Each structure stands twice: as structure tokens, then as C-alpha cells.
Amino acid sequence: YHPERPAYEFNPILNLNHSIAGIEAMQYLANNFVTEARRSTASFPSPTDEAKALIYNYAPLANGESYQCYFFE
């Protein structure tokens, strides 16, 4: 699920919708997602626990396309 793709990916094979309506729909979904995420009261018990959970602690692997994949054990 990548609603940002119409605005930032230009691959003619994918035939992404770059119309104003497509970009506005992408922005609406992004804004709505962030608004809902901000409503969450979830938090880590300490800054140390939060630092341990950050995605930056893991190395992504390229999958041959424009994506990076993370694998967790």
C-alpha cells in the first residue's frame, strides 16, 4: 500500500495516475493516516526502549525494484 506513489514515481510501465485528482486523493489519504496516528496514546516506557525499536537499527535489503525490505527475526 503506497498512496504516495502517484506523486513521486514516474514509471510509464506502472501507468500511475498523476492527475490532480490522483494527487489530491493521495494527499487526502496521507493526511488522514497521520491524523489518526496522532490520536494514538501508545508510547514506549522509556527513551531507551524507544531507541531499541527504531527502524534505523535494522539494515534494509533492496528487492530489485524501487523498494527496500526489512526482515525481522
Side-chain angles (χ1 to χ4, degrees):
Y1 174 70
H2 292 280
E4 77 284 0
R5 287 182 81 178
Y8 302 108
E9 190 162 339
F10 296 90
N11 183 337
I13 294 171
L14 298 176
N15 195 26
L16 296 173
N17 182 352
H18 291 98
S19 69
I20 292 193
I23 301 301
E24 287 176 344
M26 175 271 315
Q27 191 62 58
Y28 173 81
L29 289 171
N31 290 346
N32 188 49
F33 179 83
V34 170
T35 297
E36 291 301 312
R38 286 180 175 152
R39 294 176 57 189
S40 173
T41 59
S43 64
F44 288 93
S46 71
T48 302
D49 289 335
E50 180 179 0
K52 288 179 187 176
L54 291 175
I55 194 73
Y56 305 117
N57 295 322
Y58 302 91
L61 299 174
N63 72 348
E65 296 180 13
S66 60
Y67 297 107
Q68 293 178 330
C69 299
Y70 291 87
F71 297 95
F72 305 97
E73 294 182 20

